[in-house]
Amino acid sequence: MGASSSGLLDEAKINHIKGLVESEFQSFSGFYRQQYSVTYLGHIHQEVEPKKEERGFLLTHRPKNDGDEVLYQGCIKFSCWDELGKKCRERYAVLKKDYKVEIHDSAETFRRGSAPKLVLQPAGGVVFTSEEESRAHLEKTCSGILNGVKEDSSSSAPSSPDVFAVYLHLPYTGHTCFLFQQEDERDHFLSGLKACIRHRNLDPWHGSSHENQAYARAIRLYQQEKGCYESWEKLLGTEEQVLARQVMEDVLSWLQNQLLSKVKGKKTERIRQWQATVQVTYTLVLEQLTASLEALREECRQTASASQALIRSNLDQIMSSHDFLEQKVRACICEEAEKVCSESVVPYISSILEALTEHIGPGILGMQDTLRTQMNSAFSLTNGQVEDIKKALTSLRSVSLDENYRMVENLSNKLENVKERFGLSSVEKLIHFANLEMEQLLDSAVYTLEQFFQSSTKLQPSQLLDKMERAKERVFKQLEYDSRVVQRQLYQEALLEITLPSVISRMDQKCKSELQQFEQYIFSDYSSFILIHNICDDILRNILHKEILT
């Protein structure tokens, strides 16, 4: 998408950028190597002594889809950020359940199976439906390079009052404009696009393998070294994308100082030059980090594999050593940590919880009501006929929850004071997380009902209709139960992740200065698997979790 190169980046600047990326990656890789060994130990321990971590759901989750199911397809008018002032082109947009945005030349080329002309990866994307909001967001991201330059007559996209627009802004890769003749068509596309953003943001973290855990710990420590204690909200997209966005903050700070006097022209031209430069820079950074991360993972896998025999033969001793150190560290920090929690977190838990329940609770209840209404309507005309019931069940897979999603999206404004107090840059991940859970609940309810139907297809119509009515009521009872489980766990995790960075930042100096004395208790052969810092973090998390539960 956009420019393939930028004249503002000469060889010397490119080499300097590569050096900055390598320096940042070396800093991150040290944390990753440490954390990989620790999480690999946890992986082996879980394998040897399994601990159930199931959430106790009653509904059956649908197996993972193959990604070919279409969320949206249709003719659009389309333009990229580097085509300002040009006429939008007729294109064919396709959104599938692989959650990418495909742009085809036409419906015909799509049906023939031709490769898309353009594929957008929407992780981290921000969506607007008005040109004014899109322009304001664009100027905010380019504010450092604009340096007070006045407005000119150009607009961000060639829209007009009789069309309906969607503007998709992606991190460091510019923005695109989609135009529609009908509002309902725009809304259909927008619904699918938001689903793509949610899934691309969060799906890479679903399941949490020991490698995911190592990465999440490492990125948090990497940021803490820079004085930033927030990490949960930044884990959007793949590991490569997350790290690239962090590194780009430092790279762009340097690049802006280098190019401030070289970016010329009116506001729109400056934005175009800067976006072209940023896109090329991001491509360089992402490519370099992707290769480096893969090499680092492979190195860590080999190191872990070589240590497997040591871990398995000494697992009891390693875990005993860990437990002994945990008692020592807890005795050292517990009193002060509890004081920090009681003074800086506990007074605000009730107000945060109130905001969460005010928006997430009604959203989930609305989802249940929407499904019940749609289900009753779909089944009212089936008369117990197998094919009609099949069609009714299929229609339930595409029930729109947009109104319920919007209830949750309003949470951002409600938490403004909380964001300021606890240093949160955003609650976007929390919103995506809540909406994704809502989507999963509905899909599991529909899938569970489908399973009841599959086991009953040979019944007579009257018997089938009666059984499906009873199955519906059973599914709704299960849905209500699962919804309560989801809400409880979502509220607990949100409270923990919102407040934990504040606790860690207040305890960080004590942990660094006083806990080194405990290193002497770690047998040298086990030093890769037991980290005092991790033990301290886990204790702080558990103390805070208890406060949240009380």
Side-chain angles (χ1 to χ4, degrees):
M1 183 177 72
S4 59
S5 62
S6 171
L8 295 175
L9 288 181
D10 55 29
E11 187 175 353
K13 290 186 179 66
I14 289 173
N15 287 334
H16 188 82
I17 288 168
K18 289 180 178 179
L20 287 175
V21 175
E22 179 60 24
S23 176
E24 290 299 317
F25 183 74
Q26 288 305 316
S27 175
F28 168 80
S29 64
F31 294 120
Y32 186 82
R33 289 187 183 96
Q34 287 182 331
Q35 296 303 321
Y36 198 102
S37 294
V38 174
T39 59
Y40 186 71
L41 169 69
H43 170 68
I44 297 294
H45 188 218
Q46 172 68 13
E47 182 184 302
V48 174
E49 300 179 21
K51 295 180 181 178
K52 287 188 177 181
E53 296 183 359
E54 294 182 10
R55 299 168 70 179
F57 287 137
L58 299 178
L59 295 169
T60 305
H61 286 207
R62 189 186 302 276
K64 190 174 181 181
N65 66 76
D66 59 8
D68 286 334
E69 185 178 340
V70 174
L71 296 171
Y72 171 89
Q73 59 180 333
C75 294
I76 58 165
K77 289 189 175 181
F78 173 84
S79 68
C80 291
W81 62 269
D82 58 342
E83 299 171 322
L84 292 175
K86 295 181 181 179
K87 187 177 180 181
C88 287
R89 294 157 296 168
E90 296 278 352
R91 290 289 183 259
Y92 195 74
V94 179
L95 309 178
K96 298 179 183 177
K97 280 201 171 179
D98 61 358
Y99 304 110
K100 299 174 186 176
V101 180
E102 295 182 4
I103 306 299
H104 295 261
D105 277 325
S106 65
E108 180 61 29
T109 59
F110 170 65
R111 283 192 288 269
R112 288 203 306 261
S114 302
K117 190 174 186 67
L118 178 67
V119 178
L120 304 178
Q121 305 280 359
V126 182
V127 175
F128 301 99
T129 55
S130 81
E131 186 174 344
E132 292 75 18
E133 289 177 320
S134 174
R135 185 73 179 181
H137 179 80
L138 179 60
E139 291 184 5
K140 182 179 178 181
T141 60
C142 299
S143 59
I145 210 72
L146 292 177
N147 202 25
V149 175
K150 293 183 178 181
E151 184 63 84
D152 54 46
S153 59
S154 299
S155 64
S156 62
S159 61
S160 60
D162 59 341
V163 297
F164 300 91
V166 172
Y167 303 89
L168 172 63
H169 291 251
L170 298 175
Y172 306 118
T173 53
H175 64 281
T176 51
C177 175
F178 304 84
L179 297 180
F180 303 84
Q181 293 298 320
Q182 303 295 329
E183 185 175 12
D184 59 349
E185 185 73 7
R186 188 272 310 272
D187 292 346
H188 184 193
F189 172 82
L190 184 60
S191 177
L193 179 59
K194 287 184 175 181
C196 290
I197 293 172
R198 278 196 302 275
H199 281 273
R200 280 282 160 178
N201 278 342
L202 299 183
D203 283 358
W205 304 98
H206 183 72
S208 192
S209 67
H210 74 276
E211 289 190 340
N212 279 149
Q213 294 167 16
Y215 180 93
R217 287 257 197 180
I219 201 75
R220 187 168 77 235
L221 293 169
Y222 167 71
Q223 289 180 282
Q224 285 180 17
E225 193 175 60
K226 297 171 176 287
C228 176
Y229 291 85
E230 176 193 13
S231 64
W232 189 66
E233 275 290 338
K234 296 181 183 293
L235 296 179
L236 299 173
T238 64
E239 294 179 1
E240 292 79 6
Q241 291 169 328
V242 171
L243 186 56
R245 289 198 295 269
Q246 300 308 303
V247 172
M248 280 293 286
E249 292 178 7
D250 292 325
V251 170
L252 288 188
S253 178
W254 173 81
L255 195 60
Q256 184 175 299
N257 289 333
Q258 296 293 309
L259 299 181
L260 190 58
S261 62
K262 297 183 180 181
V263 177
K264 306 287 188 181
K266 294 181 179 180
K267 179 180 285 189
T268 301
E269 176 58 21
R270 288 188 176 216
I271 289 174
R272 190 199 64 78
Q273 291 180 53
W274 180 242
Q275 281 199 295
T277 304
V278 168
Q279 186 192 44
V280 174
T281 302
Y282 181 69
T283 301
L284 288 171
V285 170
L286 186 59
E287 287 177 353
Q288 185 174 341
L289 288 176
T290 298
S292 297
L293 265 174
E294 185 51 44
L296 178 61
R297 287 191 202 100
E298 188 55 38
E299 173 199 323
C300 289
R301 286 167 190 153
Q302 292 180 10
T303 301
S305 180
S307 69
Q308 185 174 170
L310 173 66
I311 294 173
R312 289 186 183 278
S313 60
N314 296 276
L315 186 58
D316 288 344
Q317 194 171 349
I318 295 172
M319 298 314 299
S320 295
S321 179
H322 179 280
D323 294 344
F324 171 78
L325 279 164
E326 185 178 342
Q327 292 176 12
K328 290 281 188 182
V329 174
R330 184 180 294 278
C332 180
I333 69 171
C334 191
E335 183 178 348
E336 185 171 340
E338 288 175 347
K339 182 180 178 183
V340 168
C341 287
S342 65
E343 291 178 354
S344 64
V345 173
V346 172
Y348 308 101
I349 287 178
S350 60
S351 61
I352 300 173
L353 185 59
E354 181 183 345
L356 295 173
T357 55
E358 182 180 333
H359 293 279
I360 296 175
I364 290 179
L365 287 174
M367 174 271 294
Q368 295 175 19
D369 290 340
T370 299
L371 179 59
R372 184 180 286 276
T373 299
Q374 293 293 323
M375 194 176 286
N376 289 339
S377 175
F379 276 82
S380 64
L381 303 175
T382 60
N383 295 318
Q385 300 301 313
V386 170
E387 289 304 317
D388 290 341
I389 292 175
K390 277 184 181 178
K391 290 178 183 178
L393 287 168
T394 300
S395 71
L396 294 176
R397 294 188 186 185
S398 55
V399 169
S400 173
L401 295 179
D402 291 343
E403 186 176 336
N404 311 113
Y405 293 151
R406 282 192 288 272
M407 292 182 191
V408 179
E409 288 165 6
N410 292 331
L411 181 63
S412 184
N413 294 330
K414 188 73 175 181
L415 289 177
E416 279 302 324
N417 292 336
V418 172
K419 287 195 288 185
E420 184 177 345
R421 174 168 293 281
F422 290 99
L424 283 175
S425 59
S426 166
V427 292
E428 201 65 25
K429 180 176 180 178
L430 172 57
I431 290 169
H432 287 318
F433 188 43
N435 284 343
L436 208 55
E437 290 284 9
M438 202 187 308
E439 176 189 321
Q440 180 66 66
L441 283 166
L442 183 141
D443 187 61
S444 295
V446 173
Y447 181 69
T448 302
L449 193 59
E450 289 173 356
Q451 298 308 295
F452 279 120
F453 171 68
Q454 291 297 332
S455 66
S456 310
T457 54
K458 294 182 179 180
L459 295 175
Q460 293 297 317
S462 60
Q463 294 174 309
L464 179 56
L465 195 59
D466 182 60
K467 183 168 182 178
M468 292 306 294
E469 282 298 322
R470 285 186 278 115
K472 277 167 49 182
E473 292 310 311
R474 181 176 175 182
V475 164
F476 274 112
K477 287 179 181 178
Q478 292 175 336
L479 177 59
E480 289 171 2
Y481 175 84
D482 284 6
S483 296
R484 290 194 295 271
V485 173
V486 164
Q487 286 180 81
R488 182 173 66 251
Q489 295 185 345
L490 202 158
Y491 297 156
Q492 290 173 6
E493 184 168 3
L495 283 166
L496 189 64
E497 297 298 346
I498 287 170
T499 57
L500 183 61
S502 174
V503 175
I504 291 177
S505 67
R506 285 170 168 80
M507 293 294 298
D508 198 31
Q509 193 56 45
K510 182 179 181 68
C511 291
K512 286 179 178 177
S513 62
E514 296 188 24
L515 297 185
Q516 289 182 354
Q517 59 180 307
F518 299 118
E519 299 282 354
Q520 61 181 309
Y521 297 109
I522 305 175
F523 187 49
S524 59
D525 285 355
Y526 308 154
S527 59
S528 296
F529 313 119
I530 303 174
L531 298 179
I532 298 296
H533 186 281
N534 282 40
I535 292 174
C536 180
D537 267 12
D538 289 341
I539 291 171
L540 293 178
R541 179 178 285 268
N542 288 335
I543 290 171
L544 183 54
H545 190 250
K546 287 179 181 177
E547 291 288 358
I548 289 170
L549 291 178
T550 55

